[in-house]
Amino acid sequence: MSNQKLILITAIFFSSFAQAHSLKVSELPSKLQENNFASLGNGQQVCDSVASDHPNVKTCFPILNLSQKNALILTFPNGSDDIVQSDSSYAAFNITDNNSFDTTITLFDGREKTNVIYTGPIKSWEGLICDDTECHPWPK
């Protein structure tokens, strides 16, 4: 019985490392909360800040949502979604070993998905900056 418990605990411990991780502004280290992403000039700087507090970060996909009224729904390669709230930032990290993945970004007005505003790649350590009409690479 104790071997089964040990195996279960070990499996839970290692599975936590294999999951996708994402940080919303409220969960970021205090250094980033003070900066609130908007003062960071680009996605590279966001990822550098995250990596300074989380040295095991291998991939980082930041998104800055400039919309004042719409959230964004980010679709991951496995089909799962996550929400980037209006007027906020988000960074997903260690979700893939690849340096980019194809995603779809859809507006969400709080009740339903509305328009798809982006379909294409999001690059690690660069990310996307979006508004109510489009997304483009977060310039370096």
Side-chain angles (χ1 to χ4, degrees), residues 104-122:
T104 300
I105 307 271
T106 309
L107 291 179
F108 180 70
D109 67 6
R111 292 169 296 168
E112 63 184 354
K113 292 180 180 182
T114 57
N115 301 335
V116 172
I117 59 168
Y118 181 83
T119 300
I122 179 171

Side-chain angles (χ1 to χ4, degrees), residues 4-139:
Q4 290 176 337
K5 286 182 183 179
L6 181 60
I7 291 170
L8 177 62
I9 291 169
T10 303
I12 291 170
F13 176 77
F14 284 112
S15 70
S16 68
F17 287 106
Q19 295 175 358
H21 297 283
S22 60
L23 296 173
K24 295 186 175 74
V25 172
S26 62
E27 299 167 347
L28 287 170
S30 60
K31 177 172 66 173
L32 283 183
Q33 288 180 31
E34 292 167 8
N35 291 333
N36 195 19
F37 277 0
S39 65
L40 295 171
N42 58 49
Q44 174 76 47
Q45 291 175 348
V46 171
C47 292
D48 288 345
S49 294
V50 170
S52 71
D53 289 325
H54 302 280
N56 293 329
V57 169
K58 293 180 178 51
T59 60
C60 173
F61 302 93
I63 296 178
L64 178 60
N65 182 3
L66 297 176
S67 173
Q68 298 292 310
K69 59 182 181 176
N70 291 303
L72 303 174
I73 297 180
L74 166 70
T75 302
F76 293 105
N78 67 2
S80 66
D81 295 327
D82 210 345
I83 293 179
V84 183
Q85 296 298 327
S86 62
D87 196 28
S88 68
S89 303
Y90 168 98
F93 61 94
N94 291 351
I95 61 168
T96 177
D97 290 333
N98 298 325
N99 288 326
S100 70
F101 64 87
D102 286 333
T103 186
T104 300
I105 307 271
T106 309
L107 291 179
F108 180 70
D109 67 6
R111 292 169 296 168
E112 63 184 354
K113 292 180 180 182
T114 57
N115 301 335
V116 172
I117 59 168
Y118 181 83
T119 300
I122 179 171
K123 294 180 182 177
S124 185
W125 300 87
E126 180 179 274
L128 296 171
I129 187 168
C130 304
D131 58 25
D132 289 315
T133 59
E134 65 181 356
C135 298
H136 54 82
W138 200 341

